[in-house]
Each structure stands twice: as C-alpha cells, then as structure tokens.
Amino acid sequence: MKNKPPATPIPKEDVLIRELLSGQRFLMRSFQPEMESAFWRTLAERSTSMINGFIFPGAIVYLILGVLNLPIVYYFSWSYFRTQDLYNLAYMYAIGILCLGTLPALLKRSFFHQYFYAIMGTISFFGVLSTSYFSLQFKTPWVSQAATYDVVLVYILVYFIIGMKPRFIFAVGLSAGLLALAIAYFRTANFDFIWYSNEELVRYVYYVGLINLVGLVVSTVNIAKERVSFLQSRLLELDKLQAEDMSDKLTRLSREDPVTGLANRRYFNERMDEEWERAQRSGEPLSVLFIDIDHFKTYNDTYGHLQGDEALHQVAQTLKLFLHRSTDLAARYGGEEFLVLLPNTPVAGAKTVADKVLAAVDALNIEHKKSKTAKFVTVSIGVSTCTFVDSDVTIAELINQADEAVYKAKADGRHRVREYHRM
C-alpha cells in the first residue's frame, strides 16, 4: 500500500491548516510532529515516482553527454595527458551510470520507502564525490572547466529532483565536494607533485561552497512552496472526507430507523425489489420473516414509551445476530413489527432462522409482567417463501403471506413460529 497523508484527521486539523495558510505563499517553519511526518512521507513518495520516471531517460541523456564529451576530451586535452583524461571521463560517467543503475533495484525493495532519505543521501554523496573527484583529475584547464559543468548538473539533480531536507542535502553535497578535493590533493601529493595551486584550491572551494549555498537557498524555498502545496492538498482531502462523511450520514439517516438502528421500511422496499429481480433471474428461493412483539401495547402502557423503545432496540440488535450474509437484511416495518429478508433461503432454512430468533429474544429476558403469554417479552414469527414456480406471486403477496403466518402464530397462542402454507 502506498504511503499517503493520514486519512484520519488530526484533531482540528482543518482549522490548523487554514491558520497556517492564511496569507502565506511560503512556509519556512516545521509543522507539528504528525503533520511534519506526513509531509515528508508524501514528498518522499512523490520524489520516488519522479525518480522512477527519470531513471531510464536520465541514463540515456547522461550517456549522450558522455559521448559528446568524448571528442572534446580527445581533441582539446594536452597530448601528454590525453589517455589519462579519457580514462577519467570513462570512470566519471561509469560511476554515474552505476549510481543511476542501482535505483531500479532499490525501488522494488520494501525497505526503500522506509529508508528513502538515507538511501538517496548515500547515493547522492557518492555521485557528487565521484563526479567532483574525477573532474579534478583533468589536467587540461579547458577540459577541466567542461567537467565542472557535469559537477553542476549532478548538484542540480541532487538538490532539485530528490526533494530531501535542505540542510541534510547541503551537508551531503558540501562534505562530498570537499572530500573529493582532499582525496585528489593528497593522492597527487603522494607522487611528490602538487598539481593544484593555492589559487586553484581556493577557487574550487569557492565554487563548491557557492553551488551548495545556492542549492540550499533554492531548495529551502522549494520546500517552503511544497509545504503550502501539501497543506492545500490536505485541506482539499479533508473537505472531501467531510463531504463524504456527511453524505454517508445522510444516506444512513435516509435508510435507517432511528429507534432500532435497523433498515427502515423505505430501504427494505428498495432492497426487496433488488433481491426479487435477482431471485427471478436465478430461480433461487426468497424467504421473509415477519416478526411481531407480543402484547407490546400493554408493555408500553406498563413501562412507558422510553422503556418500550429500549425493548425495540434490544430485539432489533438480536435480529442483527442472524444476518450472516451481506444480502440478508432486517428492517423495522412499523410499530413493533420487523421484517427479515433472506435471499437464496428455502423454507426449511428460514424456519431454522426463525426458531433461533425466537429463542434469542427469550434469552434477553426482558421483563413483561402484564403479558398474557410469559413474564418476559416474546415474539411471534411468520415465515413465507417464494420459489418462483408460480409466477403470479408478487412482493406484496409474499409479505402478506408472512403477515398471515404471524396471525396464525398469534391465534395458536403467540410466542411461536408458523409457516405460510398455500391452500
């Protein structure tokens, strides 16, 4: 899974973002810890995507530059140093290609995103170090000057494409450039021949310092712009999340009975139409349970409507325990009446579910002193199943059949399950 800005909003995050964005084109300061971590994760992800798209064309361009530099080095190098300069050119571009070549393999590793900055910092360090070192090995001034442009190119890539923390990449770039000078200087000194004059050393340090200083400033400004862009994107995401949440709440309110938390009659009718059409196409049986709480008016008169609502809620939550498939649905049909929709369920299976519901409601042991059936709340359940053998059966008729089965259960003494039997 990709690493994105956190989907769960930080408390009052939208208020904080709006305060940070008010009248700001640049943001130089860090965010609070959670948001700061999310910012750098997002930037690393985008940089990874950019690097992934850059590797192949970048390698081609880099090779082309090497090929173009080949005649320059060959024709403009002093004859005494021509062979050495050609080797230096080959080494410089070979290491550059090697650095680029390691990236495709690393991008596929699971640890790459976790250690993005450490890995890219290391590759950047060696890229700058090797390019700077071999640029110092050219003995012909004009060729050495041309090689300096390659060093500048590498610095540009490091500072503006990788997207690392400015001070970190400044330390990487500056230390790599100075270390390249130190290695080149002492390696030459070992041969009792100091090629670099003090003026050249000062000039090199000056250019390395200037390049890194400019890179630090520009990189800092870019990161400041990225912070603003991140906050704007995050604010849009939060607005979208809030809109989706509001939409979900409105949808739920339009489908849900507020007392029981079950589907309301309107949503039951919608789902019934869908499952009816599906059952007609497949020929699968469709069952309905009609559940009525016994002596519920007496219960309300005895315990009050608030307690009555609580009893409805407990019965409703019990019904939910028997909805084992995504297509099963329980709904409050009206007052103390409930419907349970059981697609692809034959009459025997529906009867089994009804028996379990009856026992589960008994297990609630909700006191009902005035009930003529038991000393606790009970239900009567009617079961009706359509197998679509008779095409004249309609949805309304199937529900009426379940209702008739409930009346049969009540007539037989309540607190029982009865199936509808066609005459």
Side-chain angles (χ1 to χ4, degrees), residues 124-166:
S124 300
F125 180 84
F126 282 107
V128 172
L129 175 65
S130 60
T131 306
S132 299
Y133 171 77
F134 285 109
S135 72
L136 289 168
Q137 298 304 301
F138 293 104
K139 302 302 186 291
T140 306
W142 199 92
V143 175
S144 178
Q145 182 66 33
T148 305
Y149 301 142
D150 293 325
V151 177
V152 173
L153 174 62
V154 172
Y155 272 114
I156 290 174
L157 293 177
V158 168
Y159 273 103
F160 305 124
I161 292 184
I162 294 175
M164 291 190 284
K165 296 180 179 180

Side-chain angles (χ1 to χ4, degrees), residues 358-373:
L358 191 78
V361 173
D362 288 352
L364 293 174
N365 198 27
I366 303 172
E367 183 184 73
H368 191 352
K369 295 184 295 185
K370 297 295 182 69
S371 173
K372 297 177 182 180
T373 304

Side-chain angles (χ1 to χ4, degrees), residues 19 23 25 31 47 54-55 97 104 113 157 174 182 194 196 207-209 213 245 250-251 267 289 368 383 391 414 420:
E19 289 178 355
R25 292 181 58 192
F31 304 134
S47 297
F54 166 80
I55 290 172
I97 292 298
H113 291 287
L157 293 177
L174 185 61
I194 304 299
Y196 308 104
Y207 281 132
V208 168
L213 184 60
D245 184 57
L250 291 174
T251 300
Y267 185 54
L289 307 185
H368 191 352
V383 179
S391 59
R414 303 176 191 270
Y420 175 82

Side-chain angles (χ1 to χ4, degrees), residues 21 62 111 131 136 152 178 238 284 302 325-326 331 364 373 405 411 420:
L21 285 176
Y62 199 68
F111 59 78
T131 306
L136 289 168
V152 173
L178 295 179
L238 288 174
E284 297 169 346
T302 304
R325 301 169 300 181
S326 60
L364 293 174
T373 304
Y420 175 82

Side-chain angles (χ1 to χ4, degrees), residues 160-283:
F160 305 124
I161 292 184
I162 294 175
M164 291 190 284
K165 296 180 179 180
R167 283 180 290 182
F168 172 72
I169 198 59
F170 174 77
V172 167
L174 185 61
S175 60
L178 295 179
L179 181 60
L181 174 62
I183 294 173
Y185 181 84
F186 288 110
R187 185 173 179 275
T188 304
N190 289 337
F191 291 97
D192 299 323
F193 177 69
I194 304 299
W195 178 262
Y196 308 104
S197 66
N198 290 335
E199 181 183 349
E200 288 172 321
L201 293 176
V202 171
R203 185 167 61 245
Y204 177 85
V205 172
Y206 170 78
Y207 281 132
V208 168
L210 181 62
I211 290 172
N212 281 281
L213 184 60
V214 172
L216 174 65
V217 173
V218 176
S219 179
T220 301
V221 172
N222 284 339
I223 293 298
K225 290 181 179 179
E226 291 290 346
R227 289 183 180 278
V228 173
S229 178
F230 168 78
L231 291 180
Q232 291 171 338
S233 298
R234 182 60 181 151
L235 190 58
L236 287 174
E237 184 182 353
L238 288 174
D239 289 342
K240 182 180 178 182
L241 286 173
Q242 290 173 358
E244 289 175 352
D245 184 57
M246 183 63 69
S247 177
D248 290 342
K249 287 179 180 178
L250 291 174
T251 300
R252 188 169 63 252
L253 288 173
S254 69
R255 295 177 172 181
E256 189 177 277
D257 175 67
V259 175
T260 63
L262 297 180
N264 57 24
R265 185 165 180 170
R266 174 175 171 271
Y267 185 54
F268 176 86
N269 290 337
E270 291 178 8
R271 286 288 307 280
M272 187 66 176
D273 289 339
E274 294 173 3
E275 296 302 332
W276 187 267
E277 291 179 4
R278 185 179 292 112
Q280 282 183 319
R281 291 193 303 269
S282 64

